[in-house]
Amino acid sequence: MSKLRSFSLFICLAGLFIQAPVMAQEPNDADGETVYIADDLYTFMHAGPGRNFRILGSVTAGTKVTMLQRDDTEGFVEIIDDKQRTGWVDARFINDQPSVREAMPELQQNLSDTQISLQDAQQKNDLLNQQILDLNSRNKQMQSELKELQTRHDRIERELANKDNKVQLEWLTRGGIIGLIGIVLGVIVMLIPRKRRRNDGWM
C-alpha cells in the first residue's frame, strides 16, 4: 500500500515539474505571431511540446491563435488560443494564412456587396432596356408619321400637276376658240359684198 502511495506521489511531483516552466511563462497575445489552425480538423493542445504531455483541451479547426515559440525538435508550436489558453499543438496543423472560418465573414460581406452591386446593375439595365423600347416605339411612330406625310405630299403634288394640266388645257381651249372665232369673223367679213360707190357724174 505504501509503495502505491509513494508511486502516486512521484507521478504528481513529476507532473508539477513538467508544468512549472509552462505556468511560469504566463505569455499573452502580444508576445507572438498570429497563425491559424488548419481548416480540416481539430487538434489537441498539450501541456508541453509532445504528445506525451497532458492534454489541456482541443482547438477547433480554423481558429485564430497566437504562436509564441516553435520546438523544431519535437515539431510542436506553443500557442495562445481564442480562449486565452496556453499550450502546445502539432506544427503540421498550423497555417500562416487566414482560415476559411476566419475569412468567412469578410467573404460573406463581399458576396453581399457584390449582390447589391449586381442588383443595382440589373435595375439600371432594366431601365436602359425600357428606354430603348420607348425610343424604338417613338421611332416607329415617327416613321409612320413620316410615311403619312410623304403620302400626303405625293398626293398634293399629283393634284397640283393635274391642276396645272387642267389650266393649260383650259387656256389652250380658250385660245383655240378665240382663234376659231377670229377665223370665222374673217371669213364672214370677206364674204360680205362691198357697196358700190355712187357716181355723182351720172346724175
Side-chain angles (χ1 to χ4, degrees), residues 47-166:
R51 289 188 175 83
N52 56 329
F53 288 87
R54 182 168 61 90
I55 295 176
L56 302 177
S58 62
V59 185
T60 306
T63 302
K64 181 171 71 172
V65 297
T66 301
M67 184 175 66
L68 300 176
Q69 59 178 316
R70 182 185 296 269
D71 187 335
D72 294 329
T73 302
E74 296 294 335
F76 270 71
V77 173
E78 186 180 22
I79 65 167
I80 299 177
D81 68 358
D82 57 337
K83 300 176 181 177
Q84 298 303 310
R85 298 179 299 178
T86 302
W88 294 79
V89 296
D90 195 322
R92 294 175 302 172
F93 305 146
I94 296 295
N95 291 327
D96 57 358
Q97 297 297 324
S99 64
V100 173
R101 176 186 174 187
E102 185 72 18
M104 185 61 68
E106 183 178 357
L107 294 174
Q108 289 177 341
Q109 183 63 42
N110 291 337
L111 177 61
S112 178
D113 294 341
T114 302
Q115 288 176 340
I116 292 174
S117 299
L118 182 61
Q119 289 176 356
D120 291 341
Q122 185 64 43
Q123 290 177 355
K124 291 180 180 178
N125 184 59
D126 293 341
L127 179 61
L128 289 174
N129 287 335
Q130 184 61 44
Q131 290 177 349
I132 290 173
L133 290 175
D134 293 341
L135 289 174
N136 287 335
S137 177
R138 289 186 60 187
N139 183 50
K140 290 181 180 179
Q141 183 179 359
M142 292 178 68
Q143 286 181 348
S144 177
E145 292 176 355
L146 178 61
K147 186 176 181 180
E148 183 179 354
L149 290 174
Q150 187 66 41
T151 302
R152 291 179 60 185
H153 178 266
D154 294 341
R155 185 177 70 250
I156 291 172
E157 282 191 341
R158 288 195 300 270
E159 290 176 355
L160 289 175
N162 293 333
K163 189 173 183 180
D164 289 341
N165 291 333
K166 289 180 180 179

Side-chain angles (χ1 to χ4, degrees), residues 185-199:
L185 290 176
V187 172
I188 292 174
V189 170
M190 290 180 64
L191 293 177
I192 294 176
R194 296 181 180 179
K195 293 182 179 181
R196 294 180 180 180
R197 293 183 180 179
R198 182 177 296 179
N199 192 352

Side-chain angles (χ1 to χ4, degrees), residues 36-48:
Y36 303 87
I37 302 298
D39 285 317
D40 56 349
L41 49 82
Y42 72 92
T43 184
F44 291 112
M45 180 185 294
H46 296 269

